[in-house]
Amino acid sequence: MKLIGLTGGAGSGKSTVAEMFRGLGATIVDADEATHDVYAPGNPGFDAMVREFGTDYVRDGQIDRARLGELVFGDEDARRRLNSIVHPLVRMWMAARTIEAAENGAQVVIHDVPLLFENGLEPTYSDVVLVYAPQPIQIRRLVEGRGLGEDRARAIVATQMPIEEKRKRAHHVIDNSGSLDATREQVQKLWDEIAAVR
């Protein structure tokens, strides 16, 4: 089984590319899905979050991710505390899904990890694929696609490693600044290369 890391920047289109790889036969293990799951009521992450941040960050019985996001984007200490709770639980969740995939005969498992480089996870993977879009396009997509204000979009991008630095560190780059067809063509070409090497 090949284990590939897929990453990008906010607004780069990583989820779109992950779905393209899924359509070609890859098993996708998504760190965002893991985060949602470990935050869910009844899971250890939920209880740890309430202990750390208090019930002000719970709405309708769930962690209020929007409110918590506002806190951690403006407070480095709060972000560090959040990450110390969430990251180990996410890694365990993703490891369990990867083991399940291997037991079910998956040939290629792709971990969709937004902060792969920021967390020093490159050694985990045989290949790291970056979904690239230049910073102005990232910001435009966050504003137009997610309805964020431009200042908020810039703040989100600023909390991540610069996309150009990620580009230098990746083994493969999918340039997602053009059309979907152009992106799909790059994904197919890379898949043919990755899937052929066993």
Side-chain angles (χ1 to χ4, degrees):
M1 182 189 85
K2 288 198 79 168
L3 184 60
I4 309 295
L6 178 69
T7 193
S12 67
K14 182 178 51 59
S15 297
T16 299
V17 169
E19 285 308 309
M20 290 176 181
F21 278 121
R22 186 188 313 271
L24 293 170
T27 298
I28 305 296
V29 179
D30 186 341
D32 287 337
E33 181 183 343
T35 301
H36 284 283
D37 193 57
V38 302
Y39 275 178
N43 287 335
F46 179 87
D47 298 334
M49 299 292 282
V50 172
R51 275 194 308 276
E52 185 65 35
F53 295 102
T55 56
D56 288 347
Y57 292 92
V58 177
R59 186 181 66 191
D60 301 328
Q62 306 277 333
I63 296 296
D64 185 343
R65 291 174 55 98
R67 184 156 189 216
L68 190 59
E70 289 292 329
L71 172 68
V72 300
F73 275 114
D75 182 335
E76 181 64 37
D77 181 60
R79 184 171 35 241
R80 182 191 52 72
R81 292 176 8 238
L82 171 70
N83 290 343
S84 73
I85 294 168
V86 174
H87 288 178
L89 296 172
V90 166
R91 282 193 284 274
M92 286 189 300
W93 187 97
M94 293 182 74
R97 300 296 91 64
T98 303
I99 290 167
E100 288 171 13
E103 289 172 348
N104 290 326
Q107 296 297 308
V108 178
V109 175
I110 296 178
H111 282 187
D112 180 344
V113 184
L115 301 176
L116 187 151
F117 291 117
E118 290 86 343
N119 290 305
L121 299 176
E122 302 100 313
T124 306
Y125 304 104
S126 60
D127 291 278
V128 174
V129 179
L130 173 71
V131 181
Y132 172 83
Q135 187 176 4
I137 291 176
Q138 289 180 269
I139 291 166
R140 188 184 80 227
R141 287 177 179 167
L142 291 171
V143 170
E144 294 174 3
R146 298 191 195 170
L148 299 177
E150 188 168 334
D151 289 344
R152 176 84 166 128
R154 288 184 184 285
I156 289 170
V157 170
T159 65
Q160 298 180 351
M161 180 184 292
I163 196 76
E164 298 301 334
E165 178 61 26
K166 291 181 181 187
R167 188 175 195 166
K168 292 176 193 169
R169 295 171 76 168
H171 299 114
H172 308 279
V173 176
I174 302 287
D175 185 337
N176 192 33
S177 59
S179 71
L180 274 178
D181 286 342
T183 298
R184 191 173 288 108
E185 186 176 311
Q186 293 172 73
V187 169
Q188 180 67 61
K189 183 178 178 190
L190 182 55
W191 175 254
D192 293 343
E193 179 183 327
I194 289 170
V197 182
R198 301 233 194 268

